[in-house]
Amino acid sequence: MAIMREVKNSCRYPFREEVILKERIAEREGVGSENILLGNGCDEILSLAGREFGKPGATIVASRPTYLQLMEYAEKQGAHVEWVEHLESMRHDLDGMLEQVVRRSADLTYICNPDTPSGTILSPESVEAFCRSACENGVVFLDEVYLELLEDFSEQTQVDLVREGLPVVIGRSFSKMHGLAGHRIGYAVTTPELVERLGKHRMSSPSYLGVVAATASLGDEGFHRQSRRFIREGRERFSSLLEALSLDYIPSVGNFVFHQTGIDIREFQELMKRRGFLVGRPFPPYDDWCRISIGTVEEMQKYEKAMREVFG
Amino acid sequence: MAIMREVKNSCRYPFREEVILKERIAEREGVGSENILLGNGCDEILSLAGREFGKPGATIVASRPTYLQLMEYAEKQGAHVEWVEHLESMRHDLDGMLEQVVRRSADLTYICNPDTPSGTILSPESVEAFCRSACENGVVFLDEVYLELLEDFSEQTQVDLVREGLPVVIGRSFSKMHGLAGHRIGYAVTTPELVERLGKHRMSSPSYLGVVAATASLGDEGFHRQSRRFIREGRERFSSLLEALSLDYIPSVGNFVFHQTGIDIREFQELMKRRGFLVGRPFPPYDDWCRISIGTVEEMQKYEKAMREVFG
């Protein structure tokens, strides 16, 4: 395995290795190296966008509840975030968002697709149409970190919009399908101009082993297939459990499931902590809902036991 | 070795492991966990300080030539950097710096001790006196990443000033003595208030393997002794070579040596690149000087051969 082989070199800075990783990513995405910005996880990419577009007086449009890294960073810079509530299906309200983008001349719109914590997904046609309209006003950050978990990923991704030169930032991560969360490697596919604008705020660089592990993982299609299958099977098993326990949940395409517990999340956290599990944070206003990441079969069996104790 | 043992867990985020690393560092530094801010290398810590103290209208005082990460980041935020030239001995001009700190009501002063590229060191008494005076006007960032290479490190470090509660940020790194450069782990020892002020700008988190490797390295005194000895011996061998070749150099206490070549650095880079070596960047106005990091014995033997070809 690439990590084992390269441990002896991990005393070095990965200057050359970063160039190679960017070239491999560019090839896979069908863009040039100048369209790729590496980050310490997609969190750094999101923060860089929050920094660049979240200046005082700026407006960011985002759906709620969703992944907050970009908006939290932007609010620290003094930006205003215009929140649009999810539809009842817990999908993004794209019409409502577009209305706000136009009304507020939004500097940036954030869409997480598939979304977290809900696990819902938007159709590629609706995302594409939204991006084309919103781009007339500002930048769209399309967080696709969970999209690679889909078998038909290539028909779902909006990377074509970047190839067209639209001001869209596609966020990706090696933390999900590639199983390299602890290595903190993510990247953006976007225009060279946006690579430059976001990149100038970078504070650090990725780790040597993270870079070589990510490079090795790019070619490992077998692992990707396995990774997708494990996650799908784990999600299906857990969904069956929720049905058996009569707990409402949102059908998810991510590596997690968002489900109702009927118990305040803080109290539920406590109940599960006593059983050895740290469960998801609160996602107001869904105060009695919980987001669970799918673990290994063994972990999920233990978790099922704990769930049956609490809800059985 | 800790890295090998933990590879299987590197798919996880290192939440618990970061807490443990901070506790171990705090113990070693003789401060509380609330005095420690982890970063992706000391570069992130320097950038965080550049972000927090480099706001438009702010002034930062720094000696030149030195390590530029903090000042480059601060200038991007709109800060003014007041440069004070090194003395002829290529040491910091502390009197000249203090004069500027007072005159400009500097928000932050940056001191790299031992300094890079020069490799010179200031006496602990002079640094302490400088910090006490400069702290009346603003914050002092004391970059001690090379200080751990000294046998009498504990008598040289200014960490006592932090214990007293002065607004001093001590920057440290696992990249030098610990030999973990590619893992990007650094930290600051400073007041809880400054941990909070710098920490709120963080964009990412360190890697799992970096955190466990750093934690393991903290207890490995044998490796530290060996690391110090290797660097000292390599530096001494390289200094002898410079003397044999009649090239002027600054006696260094770091893991690098700054020496005159008599050739413009860009031309020298080209000469060495043809021989397979990437040498230091320009440090104007020292345009015919070169900063060389000490490598392994083998690497340095090959490098000696290349040097003899060029200067022999």
Side-chain angles (χ1 to χ4, degrees):
Chain A
M1 194 168 165
I3 302 176
M4 293 296 194
R5 196 177 57 233
E6 292 283 352
V7 163
K8 64 180 187 305
N9 292 323
S10 67
C11 58
R12 313 268 171 179
Y13 298 106
F15 301 129
R16 274 178 290 209
E17 292 74 13
E18 272 187 56
V19 174
I20 295 168
L21 176 56
K22 280 209 284 189
E23 283 168 3
R24 296 278 164 82
I25 290 172
E27 200 178 315
R28 183 162 178 262
E29 300 284 355
V31 296
S33 265
E34 68 281 7
N35 293 103
I36 306 297
L37 178 65
L38 283 188
N40 282 62
C42 195
D43 274 351
E44 186 182 22
I45 303 288
L46 291 161
S47 303
L48 292 169
R51 172 76 182 104
E52 176 63 15
F53 293 99
K55 289 168 183 165
T59 298
I60 290 176
V61 169
S63 194
R64 184 161 55 186
T66 193
Y67 192 62
L68 297 176
Q69 182 82 16
L70 193 158
M71 282 71 78
E72 285 181 349
Y73 208 90
E75 282 180 326
K76 277 191 248 172
Q77 314 303 312
H80 167 70
V81 180
E82 189 67 39
W83 298 103
V84 178
E85 302 302 322
H86 273 21
L87 298 169
E88 265 195 58
S89 60
M90 240 186 257
R91 279 186 174 73
H92 285 67
D93 174 7
L94 291 178
D95 293 337
M97 289 177 79
L98 193 57
E99 201 183 307
Q100 293 300 333
V101 169
V102 175
R103 183 181 299 166
R104 307 275 177 173
S105 295
D107 299 274
L108 182 136
T109 310
Y110 174 76
I111 296 183
C112 188
N113 185 54
D115 190 36
T116 178
S118 68
T120 59
I121 188 166
L122 300 160
S123 74
E125 297 75 23
S126 65
V127 177
E128 185 189 335
F130 178 88
C131 288
R132 289 190 186 280
S133 301
C135 277
E136 291 173 18
N137 289 270
V139 170
V140 176
F141 194 114
L142 199 52
D143 184 337
E144 292 191 348
V145 299
Y146 298 107
L147 201 69
E148 286 183 289
L149 298 175
L150 274 80
E151 313 283 345
D152 61 345
F153 163 73
S154 59
E155 286 123 67
Q156 299 270 350
T157 177
Q158 299 296 331
V159 77
D160 274 344
L161 299 176
V162 173
R163 271 187 228 118
E164 272 185 45
L166 292 179
V168 172
V169 184
I170 310 266
R172 296 215 205 285
S173 171
F174 284 88
S175 299
K176 315 300 173 188
M177 181 187 70
H178 297 274
L180 296 171
H183 290 277
R184 315 306 304 119
I185 308 281
Y187 62 95
V189 189
T190 187
T191 63
E193 190 218 333
L194 282 164
V195 166
E196 170 71 26
R197 285 180 69 184
L198 301 188
K200 71 172 185 290
H201 300 296
R202 291 198 69 194
M203 294 189 168
S204 61
S205 49
S207 75
Y208 184 94
L209 292 180
V211 169
V212 299
T215 306
S217 178
L218 275 179
D220 195 348
E221 293 292 341
F223 181 79
H224 304 167
R225 276 192 297 275
Q226 190 190 48
S227 183
R228 288 192 187 108
R229 199 183 70 237
F230 279 173
I231 288 167
R232 194 184 58 239
E233 288 172 1
R235 202 171 59 210
E236 283 167 4
R237 267 194 312 273
F238 189 67
S239 300
S240 305
L241 171 67
L242 293 169
E243 277 163 28
L245 297 173
S246 303
L247 294 173
D248 197 12
Y249 70 97
I250 309 290
S252 169
V253 298
N255 59 345
F256 54 85
V257 179
F258 195 45
H259 71 88
Q260 198 160 21
T261 61
I263 303 168
D264 184 88
I265 180 67
R266 280 150 289 252
E267 197 185 322
F268 184 63
Q269 282 173 335
E270 204 40 56
L271 285 169
M272 293 315 263
K273 199 175 167 185
R274 260 181 259 154
R275 288 164 177 83
F277 296 97
L278 297 172
V279 299
R281 63 172 186 80
F283 288 96
Y286 300 91
D287 291 325
D288 65 343
W289 284 67
C290 178
R291 178 193 183 282
I292 282 293
S293 287
I294 303 301
T296 64
V297 173
E298 253 190 7
E299 286 167 341
M300 293 312 286
Q301 279 167 349
K302 286 184 197 154
Y303 193 70
E304 176 171 344
K305 193 167 159 281
M307 287 282 283
R308 288 190 183 277
E309 273 176 37
V310 173
F311 297 106
Chain B
M1 193 171 167
I3 302 176
M4 292 297 194
R5 197 176 57 235
E6 292 282 354
V7 164
K8 65 180 187 305
N9 292 323
S10 68
C11 58
R12 313 267 171 181
Y13 299 106
F15 300 129
R16 275 178 289 208
E17 292 74 13
E18 273 187 55
V19 174
I20 294 168
L21 176 57
K22 281 210 285 189
E23 282 168 3
R24 295 278 166 81
I25 291 172
E27 200 179 315
R28 183 162 179 262
E29 300 283 355
V31 296
S33 265
E34 68 281 7
N35 293 102
I36 305 298
L37 178 64
L38 283 187
N40 282 62
C42 194
D43 274 350
E44 187 182 22
I45 303 288
L46 291 161
S47 304
L48 293 170
R51 172 77 182 103
E52 176 64 14
F53 293 99
K55 289 169 183 164
T59 298
I60 290 177
V61 169
S63 194
R64 185 160 58 185
T66 193
Y67 192 61
L68 297 176
Q69 182 81 17
L70 192 158
M71 282 70 77
E72 284 181 349
Y73 208 89
E75 282 181 326
K76 277 192 249 172
Q77 314 303 312
H80 167 71
V81 179
E82 189 67 39
W83 297 104
V84 178
E85 302 302 322
H86 273 20
L87 298 170
E88 265 194 59
S89 60
M90 241 188 254
R91 279 186 175 73
H92 286 67
D93 175 7
L94 291 179
D95 293 338
M97 289 177 78
L98 194 57
E99 201 182 307
Q100 293 300 334
V101 169
V102 175
R103 182 179 299 164
R104 307 274 177 174
S105 296
D107 299 273
L108 182 136
T109 310
Y110 175 75
I111 295 182
C112 188
N113 185 54
D115 189 36
T116 178
S118 68
T120 59
I121 189 166
L122 301 160
S123 75
E125 297 75 23
S126 65
V127 177
E128 185 189 336
F130 177 88
C131 288
R132 289 190 186 281
S133 301
C135 276
E136 292 173 18
N137 290 270
V139 170
V140 176
F141 195 113
L142 199 52
D143 185 337
E144 291 190 349
V145 298
Y146 298 108
L147 202 69
E148 286 182 290
L149 298 175
L150 274 79
E151 314 284 345
D152 62 345
F153 164 73
S154 59
E155 286 123 68
Q156 298 269 350
T157 177
Q158 299 297 331
V159 77
D160 274 345
L161 299 175
V162 173
R163 272 188 228 115
E164 273 185 44
L166 291 180
V168 172
V169 184
I170 310 264
R172 294 215 206 286
S173 170
F174 284 88
S175 299
K176 316 299 173 190
M177 181 187 71
H178 297 275
L180 296 172
H183 290 277
R184 315 306 304 119
I185 308 281
Y187 63 94
V189 189
T190 187
T191 63
E193 190 218 335
L194 283 164
V195 165
E196 170 71 27
R197 284 180 69 186
L198 301 187
K200 72 173 186 289
H201 300 295
R202 292 198 66 194
M203 294 187 169
S204 59
S205 49
S207 75
Y208 184 94
L209 292 180
V211 169
V212 299
T215 307
S217 178
L218 275 178
D220 195 349
E221 294 291 342
F223 180 79
H224 304 166
R225 276 191 298 275
Q226 191 191 47
S227 183
R228 288 192 187 108
R229 199 184 69 235
F230 280 172
I231 288 167
R232 194 185 58 238
E233 288 173 0
R235 204 171 57 210
E236 283 166 5
R237 266 195 311 274
F238 188 67
S239 301
S240 306
L241 172 68
L242 293 169
E243 277 162 29
L245 297 173
S246 303
L247 294 173
D248 196 13
Y249 70 97
I250 310 289
S252 168
V253 299
N255 58 346
F256 53 85
V257 179
F258 196 44
H259 70 89
Q260 200 160 20
T261 61
I263 303 169
D264 183 88
I265 179 67
R266 279 150 292 250
E267 197 186 321
F268 184 62
Q269 282 173 335
E270 204 41 55
L271 285 168
M272 294 314 264
K273 199 175 165 185
R274 261 182 259 153
R275 289 166 176 82
F277 295 97
L278 297 172
V279 299
R281 63 171 187 80
F283 289 94
Y286 300 90
D287 292 326
D288 66 343
W289 285 67
C290 178
R291 178 193 184 282
I292 283 293
S293 288
I294 303 301
T296 63
V297 173
E298 253 190 7
E299 286 166 341
M300 294 311 286
Q301 279 167 349
K302 286 184 197 155
Y303 193 70
E304 177 171 343
K305 194 167 161 281
M307 288 280 284
R308 288 190 184 277
E309 275 176 35
V310 173
F311 297 105

